[in-house]
Amino acid sequence: MSYNSFGRVFRFTTWGESHGPALGAVVDGCPPGIALSETDIQPFLDARRPGQSRFTTQRREPDQVRILSGVFDGRTTGTPISLMIENVDQRSKDYSEVAKAYRPGHADYAYDAKYGFRDYRGGGRSSARETAARVAAGAVARQLVSEVTITAWVEAIGGDAIDPANFDAQEIGNNPFFCPDAAAAQRWEKLVDDARKAGSSLGAVVACEATGLPAGWGAPLYAKLDSELAAACMSINAVKGVEIGDGFAAAAASGEANADPMRPGNDGPVFLANHAGGIAGGISTGQPLTLRVAFKPTSSILTPVETVTRDGEATEIATRGRHDPCVGIRGVPVVEAMVALVLADQKLLHRAQCG
Amino acid sequence: MSYNSFGRVFRFTTWGESHGPALGAVVDGCPPGIALSETDIQPFLDARRPGQSRFTTQRREPDQVRILSGVFDGRTTGTPISLMIENVDQRSKDYSEVAKAYRPGHADYAYDAKYGFRDYRGGGRSSARETAARVAAGAVARQLVSEVTITAWVEAIGGDAIDPANFDAQEIGNNPFFCPDAAAAQRWEKLVDDARKAGSSLGAVVACEATGLPAGWGAPLYAKLDSELAAACMSINAVKGVEIGDGFAAAAASGEANADPMRPGNDGPVFLANHAGGIAGGISTGQPLTLRVAFKPTSSILTPVETVTRDGEATEIATRGRHDPCVGIRGVPVVEAMVALVLADQKLLHRAQCG
Amino acid sequence: MSYNSFGRVFRFTTWGESHGPALGAVVDGCPPGIALSETDIQPFLDARRPGQSRFTTQRREPDQVRILSGVFDGRTTGTPISLMIENVDQRSKDYSEVAKAYRPGHADYAYDAKYGFRDYRGGGRSSARETAARVAAGAVARQLVSEVTITAWVEAIGGDAIDPANFDAQEIGNNPFFCPDAAAAQRWEKLVDDARKAGSSLGAVVACEATGLPAGWGAPLYAKLDSELAAACMSINAVKGVEIGDGFAAAAASGEANADPMRPGNDGPVFLANHAGGIAGGISTGQPLTLRVAFKPTSSILTPVETVTRDGEATEIATRGRHDPCVGIRGVPVVEAMVALVLADQKLLHRAQCG
Amino acid sequence: MSYNSFGRVFRFTTWGESHGPALGAVVDGCPPGIALSETDIQPFLDARRPGQSRFTTQRREPDQVRILSGVFDGRTTGTPISLMIENVDQRSKDYSEVAKAYRPGHADYAYDAKYGFRDYRGGGRSSARETAARVAAGAVARQLVSEVTITAWVEAIGGDAIDPANFDAQEIGNNPFFCPDAAAAQRWEKLVDDARKAGSSLGAVVACEATGLPAGWGAPLYAKLDSELAAACMSINAVKGVEIGDGFAAAAASGEANADPMRPGNDGPVFLANHAGGIAGGISTGQPLTLRVAFKPTSSILTPVETVTRDGEATEIATRGRHDPCVGIRGVPVVEAMVALVLADQKLLHRAQCG
């Protein structure tokens, strides 16, 4: 089924296709009285905006957001906030090949198998262009959880990881890769450029940390904070894995190595380690929330790949046209947005039950 | 907030604590006319049942399930199915230490931070004992998706992985580790035994494959099949990571290496690879569904760990008492159950929208 | 579809059939720290309990509730509260007639048309016996909205209404009809007795008032307080109409006659009338909440009525056996419970969004 | 809380204020392959459109709908359908009085009590202008339940009811009152005109019938067809009561008088009466669905009414400006839309569970 809403109390619904007139989000359940204008949202859209360097798709979209409802005199009213972004650069091109043959790794075949029918222009609803609506909604969420600082970055591209010793949060905004390690950013320039020129693509790992959230947010058992984060991140295009804290590394550890001892502190316990990534029993502990998200390489490559047509004939397809050589890069603001959206919802859920 | 339901059309709600009189699940939205009796459910509970080998907790629970509603003349009626399992072996012991001090890695502190109060007996609601209710509900789901074969196994314990070349599905039931590699099972015997005797614990990776599901199940964008699976698995106690298909390995791959080419087949396309794990665009492709789940080591260890008391005093705690040295092992039937529950829901959702 | 849950943050799910071993409710989302024991619930079940006078069904059920989870040391823990009531007096009788022929006015035919199959023993899931589970859940809700006083009563039976001038809330508990007018109660004794002896049945109007709730509860637009109350009351067996405030009388009034003027008061505005029934724009105004609910006459009557069999043959049916001659009477505690459940949910929803 | 979505599988979310730039709806879960264009929606908006006679508000809105997503090549794709209607005639006027004083009967005070803040221009979110979005969404629902014919009409204005003997469905479109009785329509002309000229207002009863739906739609117990219809209708501005079938009249009837006997027919049972309004046990019986909805008189009247200001001062207010003298009239297409939306959802829910 199509299910385009997320959240339980702070909820959002997105709509729109890659090549339709516009796309947008409706944010419902937002508390009243929160300062909000387009200028609070635009910077996050700008961070995700395509066409800003040669390392992302060359589609040129201004991604200007408009607030159509839910705000009065510069503050949220508590009623639904409708956000709209017009599509400007839907290049009119010949879609006959993509209409006919399924691009491997893309949603083409799966959508046809499900719906018997699809909007094939630029990937339609399954295009990563939809994530602009998430980022806009996420900016509203950030206003609501302003006590939390959410920072994501690219940790590895094509298997080439940053050196944790070089980590510098200030560096993230200094390069087109959201890379906190200046040396790695330099290496990635060549890495991604080579892939781009070769018509190839690369996977990436995005890491995210959220600090400032209190202990106690979360909703055992089936809306656990980690469960909601996993759902949120896995719903992003091209994502194939999610880890909280040490993630898969914890599976190789002993209980002693994985322990997060506590000592008394002024504001509740001080933790001596954070293998858990800030969540225990599905509830925040007050430590930094840490997670990692695996993005597969963009499925659009120039190398011809065997495939089938809608009519079941054998063929080959090479995906020309505009796309990101490493879709994980622009995944950074999207991961941040999804984390913000989950935290906003959990904050309100916690307030509902625990006052 | 407490949120103990899962699913959208095929839904279940679980209840119960480790040391209460009973625990259970209510399954709602199940189609009518499906054959169901306690004997359809019991084998799955038996697989998860504790106390069957020295490698799991020694708590002795018969875990006999009773169907209290929703079944008439051996078939489901379409009304809610109430399943109850009585707790039998809640050992009366002294809980004063655990009531007073927070066990690191456990939900103790987080629950107190959230609720200001907790049932500390055996972990209360945060005990893995709750997963018995999931397994019971999962058995109902299996009846509904009987066209799908769901098989999970332990792929690695404490970092010691099976050899894929040795994979033999028949072997899974032949050892207490749900291990498909006889050689690895033998190694793990000593590995887990050593950990148990040392009062230590080990993490594990559980893998799962589901075959037989058709192309077209899934619900873009925020109830994608992979997103729902991630939420479901991440909601299991001790889980810290979820991968679909190649998962994090895909993040290190190139687009060419990650491609799943297709050729014409008799029943839709035949795929030449399955890096995607059977899901594209959040929708099943008809290939086998593959996923991996990371379980952290049990947080209960005999080595004293620094911690704090409810009153904020420094102390140390060593967790004696009955528990699994490797909680991932008994996670196998739980992962299977969660996958079955997600697939049952997605099957009905697909039918709702696409007839 | 079967959908046996209600509520958004404070949610409950009921299960069970008329002639199964038990029925129950799971209440989820209840705040922690609220005093709760069986003795807080039992009085409400006792008020609804059958067999207490000759004016209700003669089925003898003790309706003893057990709390199976979610309470520790006499207080709610914030985790799901499982409530169970065993069925004791499922009289073993011959159901062959009811299995074969559809009782007009009952859910028999509709259930068969939907599910192709039904538990025909005592009405199965569609029996008003299910309302015991609602009343138990409602008692939990009352603990949460203890600032609100909820009182329901029977306003009319078979068209014979109370005289508002005689209204005396103390009287409600003094007669088997929940009637606040002693004179009417006396008339109804003969009225209901005559119907009972004739094997006939009577409809009733139940009125309900809730005082003490603050202004501001409600959830525009599709979870408005009045919309939720309407859904809640219309979900009760045999209910065919719901009014808020003046209801249908308002449809015959002019704007001047229907106005609720306000004057300044110490605690917000003082209203000079309450045609609106305490709700404006879907949100409580702080005035008393007033509503009325129409119960149809019990469909079980001794007069033979034309009907058809499962096989499509013409036949007649007269419903013998135990049932209420006026099902609206025992609807009183059920309406109160549903109002409490809606208010508990709205209280938490309000807290979520508006702090 | 703000909750602006409705439906479980076929869901819609509305957004927008009376005086914002636009309002709209997002319809999610609609099956793929259904023919849909603006011309399928516009006629229903035109029926509800203001300013078409002197009996409705003189605000002039073209109410042109745009489909922004979810439709490709003239058919729904199964992805969310975004519908937008621009506001054109938001008259710039002086709102200082309404910003300051609470209009009795309006949502002004309740919104302020809830949110501490409101968009007072033209009633903001609580304006009946929002129902345009419902009507647009309802037009999509109608495409999905095209086997059902849904017809609503005004049954009474200000207590002056139609004569059932004069009922002529053809007449409904022939007068500005959606009145099926030509004689009543003539009387109402003077009635409403007098009220309009006097600055007064009138309540109305809207009746609705849906034919062609099969037996078996509905979702016991808490999403019963009647419960959903009650919630849907009670969520419409100014509605204070809902009846299914005989409604409150059934409460005054005996079981014999209220029986709906059945006889064998070619397509399932033939019913000899329809007191139940086509629903038994919350499930459709295949008979015509009948319901009645009570609209209170518009609260905006010229007669000054005592009220209070935001600052708690006593004052009087008379509501000038554009509004409907009888808001129930334009409620007719809104009731039809809500019934269509409920039926579309229930159709898909039924298909989900019962195939």
Side-chain angles (χ1 to χ4, degrees):
Chain A
M1 196 184 62
S2 179
Y3 202 94
N4 292 275
S5 299
F6 192 87
R8 297 163 197 273
V9 171
F10 184 93
R11 297 172 310 284
F12 70 99
T13 302
T14 72
W15 54 269
E17 281 86 35
S18 176
H19 283 53
L23 48 86
V26 182
V27 178
D28 199 10
C30 184
I34 294 178
L36 188 71
S37 72
E38 276 98 351
T39 59
D40 294 311
I41 303 174
Q42 199 60 48
F44 299 100
L45 283 168
D46 290 346
R48 182 207 155 277
R49 192 149 57 86
Q52 301 191 96
S53 80
R54 67 180 186 279
F55 306 108
T56 62
T57 173
Q58 294 306 300
R59 179 168 172 173
R60 304 265 166 190
E61 289 288 351
D63 279 352
Q64 291 293 321
V65 68
R66 281 185 69 199
I67 299 176
L68 296 177
S69 69
V71 174
F72 182 59
D73 278 353
R75 290 188 295 157
T76 58
T77 58
T79 62
I81 302 165
S82 177
L83 306 168
M84 186 169 73
I85 298 161
E86 286 184 57
N87 284 327
V88 168
D89 187 19
Q90 320 98 299
R91 189 174 296 181
S92 95
K93 64 161 248 186
D94 180 7
Y95 285 107
S96 55
E97 191 184 19
V98 109
K100 226 184 101 203
Y102 297 128
R103 294 168 300 165
H106 282 279
D108 300 353
Y109 169 65
Y111 266 66
D112 254 17
K114 181 172 196 67
Y115 298 117
F117 177 66
R118 77 195 140 99
D119 177 353
Y120 45 74
R121 300 166 306 163
R125 180 69 180 153
S126 69
S127 165
R129 181 131 188 77
E130 184 267 350
T131 57
R134 302 180 186 223
V135 169
V140 180
R142 278 174 187 269
Q143 296 290 95
L144 178 53
V145 290
S146 56
E147 67 271 47
V148 182
T149 302
I150 302 168
T151 312
W153 60 88
V154 176
E155 194 179 277
I157 291 185
D160 180 13
I162 61 167
D163 179 349
N166 289 348
F167 186 96
D168 177 3
Q170 300 302 322
E171 200 58 39
I172 296 171
N174 288 345
N175 59 71
F177 304 109
F178 300 101
C179 178
D181 169 354
Q186 219 162 347
R187 296 195 309 269
W188 293 353
E189 202 155 319
K190 180 167 162 36
L191 186 69
V192 179
D193 232 11
D194 286 353
R196 184 178 63 82
K197 289 176 186 160
S200 181
S201 66
L202 295 163
V205 174
V206 171
C208 185
E209 185 182 69
T211 57
L213 74 165
W217 289 3
L221 288 172
Y222 301 113
K224 281 179 168 177
L225 182 50
D226 33 6
S227 174
E228 297 284 273
L229 288 166
C233 291
M234 197 67 95
S235 79
I236 303 172
N237 308 49
V239 170
K240 302 302 287 184
V242 182
E243 295 180 317
I244 305 292
D246 284 3
F248 278 87
S254 70
E256 291 77 14
N258 194 58
D260 293 328
M262 291 181 257
R263 280 187 196 153
N266 294 330
D267 278 334
V270 172
F271 290 82
L272 307 184
N274 189 16
H275 301 290
I279 302 176
I283 300 171
S284 64
T285 62
Q287 285 187 286
L289 191 71
T290 63
L291 56 89
R292 295 166 77 246
V293 182
F295 285 82
K296 70 173 183 180
T298 317
S299 299
S300 302
I301 50 175
L302 274 183
T303 307
V305 183
E306 281 186 79
T307 191
V308 297
T309 66
R310 290 204 67 187
D311 303 328
E313 303 295 315
T315 187
E316 282 199 336
I317 196 163
T319 311
R320 283 171 201 85
R322 304 171 299 180
H323 59 259
D324 291 276
C326 176
V327 74
I329 297 171
R330 291 206 294 136
V332 167
V334 184
V335 167
E336 286 187 359
M338 295 308 292
V339 170
L341 288 158
V342 167
L343 292 179
D345 193 32
Q346 292 283 3
K347 178 180 181 171
L348 298 192
L349 284 169
H350 179 65
R351 193 155 78 181
Q353 191 181 15
C354 299
Chain B
M1 196 184 61
S2 178
Y3 202 94
N4 293 277
S5 299
F6 193 87
R8 296 164 197 271
V9 171
F10 185 93
R11 297 172 309 283
F12 70 98
T13 303
T14 71
W15 55 269
E17 280 87 36
S18 176
H19 283 53
L23 49 87
V26 182
V27 178
D28 198 9
C30 185
I34 293 178
L36 188 71
S37 72
E38 277 97 351
T39 58
D40 294 310
I41 302 174
Q42 199 59 48
F44 299 100
L45 283 168
D46 290 347
R48 182 204 155 280
R49 191 147 58 85
Q52 301 189 96
S53 80
R54 69 181 185 278
F55 306 108
T56 62
T57 172
Q58 294 306 298
R59 178 167 171 174
R60 305 266 166 190
E61 288 289 351
D63 279 351
Q64 290 293 321
V65 68
R66 280 185 69 200
I67 299 176
L68 295 177
S69 68
V71 174
F72 182 58
D73 278 352
R75 289 187 297 158
T76 58
T77 57
T79 63
I81 302 164
S82 177
L83 306 168
M84 187 168 74
I85 298 161
E86 286 184 58
N87 284 325
V88 168
D89 187 21
Q90 319 99 297
R91 189 174 295 181
S92 95
K93 63 164 247 188
D94 180 8
Y95 284 105
S96 56
E97 190 184 20
V98 114
K100 224 183 104 202
Y102 298 128
R103 295 168 301 164
H106 281 279
D108 299 354
Y109 169 66
Y111 265 66
D112 253 18
K114 180 169 196 69
Y115 299 117
F117 177 66
R118 77 197 139 98
D119 177 354
Y120 44 74
R121 301 164 307 163
R125 181 68 181 155
S126 69
S127 164
R129 181 132 187 78
E130 183 268 348
T131 58
R134 302 180 187 225
V135 169
V140 180
R142 279 173 187 270
Q143 296 289 95
L144 177 54
V145 291
S146 56
E147 66 272 47
V148 182
T149 302
I150 302 167
T151 312
W153 60 89
V154 176
E155 195 178 277
I157 291 185
D160 180 12
I162 62 167
D163 179 349
N166 289 349
F167 187 95
D168 177 2
Q170 301 303 319
E171 199 59 37
I172 297 171
N174 289 343
N175 60 73
F177 305 109
F178 300 101
C179 178
D181 169 354
Q186 219 163 349
R187 296 196 308 271
W188 293 352
E189 202 155 319
K190 178 168 165 34
L191 187 69
V192 179
D193 231 11
D194 285 354
R196 184 178 63 83
K197 288 175 186 160
S200 180
S201 66
L202 295 163
V205 174
V206 171
C208 184
E209 185 182 68
T211 57
L213 75 165
W217 289 4
L221 287 171
Y222 302 112
K224 281 178 168 177
L225 182 50
D226 32 6
S227 174
E228 298 283 274
L229 288 166
C233 291
M234 197 67 95
S235 78
I236 302 171
N237 308 50
V239 170
K240 302 302 285 186
V242 182
E243 295 181 317
I244 306 291
D246 284 4
F248 278 87
S254 69
E256 291 77 16
N258 194 58
D260 292 330
M262 292 180 256
R263 280 188 197 153
N266 294 329
D267 278 336
V270 172
F271 290 82
L272 307 185
N274 189 16
H275 301 290
I279 302 176
I283 300 172
S284 64
T285 62
Q287 285 187 286
L289 191 72
T290 63
L291 57 88
R292 295 165 77 246
V293 181
F295 285 82
K296 71 174 183 179
T298 318
S299 299
S300 303
I301 50 176
L302 274 182
T303 308
V305 183
E306 280 185 79
T307 192
V308 298
T309 66
R310 290 204 66 184
D311 303 327
E313 303 296 315
T315 187
E316 281 199 337
I317 196 163
T319 311
R320 281 170 203 83
R322 305 171 299 179
H323 59 259
D324 291 275
C326 175
V327 75
I329 298 171
R330 290 206 295 135
V332 167
V334 184
V335 167
E336 285 187 358
M338 295 309 290
V339 170
L341 288 157
V342 167
L343 292 179
D345 193 31
Q346 292 282 4
K347 178 180 182 172
L348 298 192
L349 283 169
H350 180 66
R351 195 154 78 180
Q353 192 181 14
C354 300
Chain C
M1 196 183 62
S2 179
Y3 202 95
N4 293 277
S5 298
F6 192 87
R8 296 161 198 274
V9 171
F10 185 93
R11 297 172 310 283
F12 70 98
T13 303
T14 71
W15 56 269
E17 280 87 36
S18 176
H19 283 53
L23 48 87
V26 182
V27 178
D28 198 10
C30 184
I34 293 178
L36 188 71
S37 72
E38 276 97 350
T39 58
D40 294 310
I41 303 174
Q42 199 59 49
F44 299 100
L45 283 167
D46 290 347
R48 182 206 154 278
R49 191 149 58 85
Q52 301 189 98
S53 80
R54 69 181 184 279
F55 306 108
T56 61
T57 172
Q58 294 307 298
R59 179 167 170 173
R60 304 268 165 188
E61 288 288 350
D63 279 351
Q64 291 293 320
V65 68
R66 280 185 68 200
I67 300 176
L68 296 177
S69 68
V71 174
F72 182 58
D73 277 354
R75 289 188 296 158
T76 58
T77 58
T79 63
I81 302 164
S82 177
L83 306 168
M84 186 168 74
I85 299 161
E86 286 183 57
N87 284 326
V88 168
D89 188 20
Q90 318 99 300
R91 189 174 296 181
S92 96
K93 63 162 249 187
D94 180 7
Y95 284 106
S96 55
E97 190 185 19
V98 111
K100 224 183 103 204
Y102 298 127
R103 294 168 301 163
H106 282 279
D108 299 352
Y109 169 66
Y111 266 65
D112 255 18
K114 181 170 196 67
Y115 298 118
F117 178 66
R118 77 197 139 98
D119 177 353
Y120 44 74
R121 301 165 306 163
R125 181 67 179 155
S126 68
S127 164
R129 182 131 187 77
E130 183 268 349
T131 59
R134 303 180 185 224
V135 169
V140 179
R142 278 174 187 269
Q143 296 289 96
L144 177 54
V145 290
S146 55
E147 66 271 48
V148 181
T149 302
I150 303 168
T151 312
W153 60 88
V154 176
E155 194 179 277
I157 291 185
D160 181 12
I162 62 167
D163 179 349
N166 289 349
F167 186 95
D168 177 2
Q170 301 303 320
E171 199 59 38
I172 296 170
N174 289 344
N175 59 73
F177 305 109
F178 299 101
C179 178
D181 169 353
Q186 218 163 349
R187 296 195 307 270
W188 293 352
E189 201 156 321
K190 177 166 166 33
L191 186 68
V192 179
D193 232 11
D194 287 353
R196 184 178 63 82
K197 288 176 186 159
S200 180
S201 66
L202 295 163
V205 175
V206 171
C208 184
E209 185 182 68
T211 56
L213 74 165
W217 289 4
L221 288 173
Y222 302 113
K224 281 178 169 178
L225 182 50
D226 32 5
S227 174
E228 298 283 273
L229 288 166
C233 292
M234 197 69 95
S235 78
I236 302 171
N237 307 50
V239 170
K240 303 302 285 186
V242 181
E243 295 181 317
I244 305 291
D246 283 4
F248 278 86
S254 70
E256 292 76 15
N258 194 58
D260 292 330
M262 293 180 257
R263 280 189 196 153
N266 294 331
D267 280 334
V270 172
F271 290 82
L272 308 185
N274 189 16
H275 301 288
I279 302 176
I283 300 171
S284 64
T285 62
Q287 284 187 287
L289 191 71
T290 63
L291 57 89
R292 294 165 78 247
V293 181
F295 285 81
K296 70 174 183 179
T298 317
S299 299
S300 302
I301 51 176
L302 272 183
T303 307
V305 184
E306 280 186 79
T307 192
V308 297
T309 66
R310 289 204 67 186
D311 303 327
E313 303 295 314
T315 187
E316 282 198 336
I317 197 163
T319 311
R320 281 170 202 84
R322 304 171 298 180
H323 59 258
D324 290 274
C326 176
V327 74
I329 297 170
R330 290 205 294 135
V332 166
V334 183
V335 167
E336 286 187 358
M338 294 309 291
V339 170
L341 288 157
V342 167
L343 292 179
D345 193 31
Q346 292 282 4
K347 178 179 181 172
L348 298 193
L349 283 168
H350 179 66
R351 195 155 77 180
Q353 191 181 14
C354 299
Chain D
M1 195 183 62
S2 179
Y3 202 95
N4 292 275
S5 299
F6 192 87
R8 297 163 197 272
V9 171
F10 184 94
R11 299 172 308 283
F12 71 99
T13 302
T14 72
W15 55 269
E17 281 88 35
S18 176
H19 283 53
L23 49 86
V26 182
V27 178
D28 199 10
C30 184
I34 294 178
L36 188 71
S37 72
E38 277 98 351
T39 58
D40 294 311
I41 303 173
Q42 198 60 48
F44 299 101
L45 283 168
D46 290 346
R48 182 206 155 279
R49 192 148 57 87
Q52 301 191 97
S53 80
R54 68 181 185 278
F55 306 108
T56 61
T57 173
Q58 294 308 298
R59 179 167 171 173
R60 304 266 166 188
E61 288 288 351
D63 279 351
Q64 291 293 320
V65 68
R66 280 184 69 199
I67 300 176
L68 296 177
S69 69
V71 175
F72 182 59
D73 278 352
R75 289 187 296 157
T76 58
T77 58
T79 62
I81 301 165
S82 177
L83 306 168
M84 185 167 74
I85 298 162
E86 286 184 57
N87 284 326
V88 168
D89 187 20
Q90 319 97 300
R91 190 174 295 181
S92 95
K93 62 162 250 188
D94 180 8
Y95 285 107
S96 56
E97 191 184 19
V98 116
K100 224 183 104 204
Y102 297 128
R103 294 168 300 164
H106 282 279
D108 299 353
Y109 169 65
Y111 265 66
D112 254 18
K114 180 171 195 67
Y115 298 117
F117 178 66
R118 77 196 139 98
D119 177 354
Y120 44 73
R121 300 165 306 162
R125 181 68 181 154
S126 70
S127 164
R129 181 130 188 79
E130 183 267 348
T131 59
R134 302 179 186 225
V135 169
V140 179
R142 278 173 187 269
Q143 296 289 96
L144 177 54
V145 290
S146 56
E147 68 271 47
V148 181
T149 301
I150 303 167
T151 311
W153 60 88
V154 176
E155 195 178 278
I157 291 185
D160 180 11
I162 62 167
D163 179 349
N166 289 349
F167 186 95
D168 177 2
Q170 300 303 321
E171 199 59 38
I172 297 171
N174 288 344
N175 60 72
F177 305 108
F178 300 100
C179 177
D181 170 353
Q186 219 163 347
R187 296 196 308 271
W188 293 352
E189 202 155 318
K190 179 167 164 35
L191 187 69
V192 179
D193 232 11
D194 287 353
R196 185 178 63 82
K197 288 176 187 160
S200 180
S201 66
L202 295 163
V205 174
V206 172
C208 184
E209 184 182 69
T211 56
L213 75 164
W217 290 3
L221 288 172
Y222 302 112
K224 281 179 169 178
L225 182 50
D226 33 6
S227 175
E228 298 284 273
L229 288 166
C233 292
M234 197 67 96
S235 78
I236 302 172
N237 308 49
V239 170
K240 302 303 286 185
V242 182
E243 294 181 317
I244 306 290
D246 284 3
F248 278 86
S254 70
E256 291 77 15
N258 194 57
D260 293 329
M262 292 180 257
R263 280 187 197 154
N266 294 330
D267 279 335
V270 172
F271 290 82
L272 308 185
N274 189 16
H275 300 290
I279 303 176
I283 300 172
S284 64
T285 62
Q287 284 188 285
L289 191 71
T290 63
L291 55 89
R292 295 165 79 246
V293 181
F295 285 82
K296 70 174 183 179
T298 317
S299 299
S300 302
I301 51 175
L302 274 183
T303 307
V305 183
E306 280 187 78
T307 191
V308 297
T309 66
R310 288 205 67 185
D311 303 329
E313 303 296 314
T315 186
E316 281 200 337
I317 196 163
T319 311
R320 281 170 203 84
R322 304 172 299 179
H323 59 258
D324 291 275
C326 175
V327 74
I329 298 171
R330 291 205 294 135
V332 167
V334 183
V335 167
E336 286 187 359
M338 295 309 291
V339 170
L341 288 157
V342 167
L343 292 180
D345 193 32
Q346 291 282 3
K347 178 179 181 173
L348 298 192
L349 284 168
H350 179 65
R351 194 155 77 181
Q353 191 181 16
C354 300

